Amino acid sequence: MTWKHPSSPVTKKFKVQRSAAKAMPTVFWDAKGVILLDILPQGQCINAARYCSTLDRLKEAIRRKRPGLLRRGVVLQHDNATPHSANLKQQWLQRYGWEILPHPAHSPDLAPSDFHLFGSLKRHLGGMAFETEDDLISELRNWFDNLDVHFFRVGINSLLSR
């Protein structure tokens, strides 16, 4: 509601059209590139069980793309979202000996994915419209596949230089 003079012109309301396609990607990456791009199916939400399933796929992707990394040890850096801190996920990490870098609450300093990776993706997708979810997913995969190693090194270096 707005206050206005009775003789003021009627304000126009714009209809907001719902986007034809939305996707929630989870991206695991290092200085060499994307290790796993996992896109949450529309209508699903991330919970601890779903996140552990994603970690299973990540473990398999690391085995294929970064041989030897599993032996040296995996260190994850992510935020404090509920699925990331759930007991089920903690048990999964302990079982495989993976480590989590601590992340202070509400700290942008340790979030290169939020600023470097997804900021660049948002700029790339700006102004694009997708008819279907598959079109959007195809564009996401294409964008991630075409990033060069330098892009990821810049993102890792921004994390290490803080």
Side-chain angles (χ1 to χ4, degrees):
M1 292 183 78
T2 58
W3 290 95
K4 60 182 183 169
H5 191 273
S7 63
S8 297
V10 177
T11 54
K12 291 184 180 183
K13 291 186 179 181
F14 295 95
K15 276 191 172 180
V16 177
Q17 261 188 324
R18 191 179 158 131
S19 177
K22 288 187 177 187
M24 184 171 157
T26 300
V27 183
F28 294 91
W29 59 283
D30 63 8
K32 296 178 182 176
V34 171
I35 299 171
L36 176 69
L37 171 61
D38 183 59
I39 300 172
L40 187 67
Q42 211 162 23
Q44 289 189 19
C45 62
I46 292 184
N47 57 27
R50 168 71 190 189
Y51 190 66
C52 287
S53 172
T54 300
L55 291 175
D56 286 333
R57 285 191 296 284
L58 174 61
K59 186 172 154 237
E60 202 46 48
I62 291 171
R63 180 174 283 117
R64 281 190 330 273
K65 294 181 177 183
R66 306 287 190 275
L69 182 60
L70 291 174
R71 283 189 310 276
R72 289 191 307 271
V74 175
V75 179
L76 294 176
Q77 188 274 312
H78 53 58
D79 60 22
N80 296 321
T82 304
H84 299 160
S85 58
N87 286 336
L88 185 62
K89 189 253 348 182
Q90 298 293 355
Q91 292 167 358
W92 192 101
L93 294 171
Q94 286 176 349
R95 181 174 6 146
Y96 294 109
W98 290 17
E99 187 181 339
I100 298 290
L101 283 176
H103 187 281
H106 310 294
S107 171
D109 292 342
L110 295 176
S113 288
D114 291 346
F115 299 100
H116 181 66
L117 188 71
F118 288 117
S120 298
L121 176 59
K122 186 177 177 180
R123 284 187 296 280
H124 172 74
L125 294 175
M128 291 185 183
F130 302 96
E131 293 290 321
T132 67
E133 183 181 9
D134 288 341
D135 293 343
L136 172 58
I137 290 171
S138 176
E139 182 61 32
L140 287 173
R141 292 192 187 286
N142 185 45
W143 186 78
F144 281 110
D145 288 345
N146 287 310
L147 292 174
D148 66 356
V149 173
H150 177 74
F151 176 87
F152 295 99
R153 288 194 178 131
V154 168
I156 293 294
N157 288 336
S158 70
L159 173 65
L160 297 176
S161 65
R162 293 175 193 249

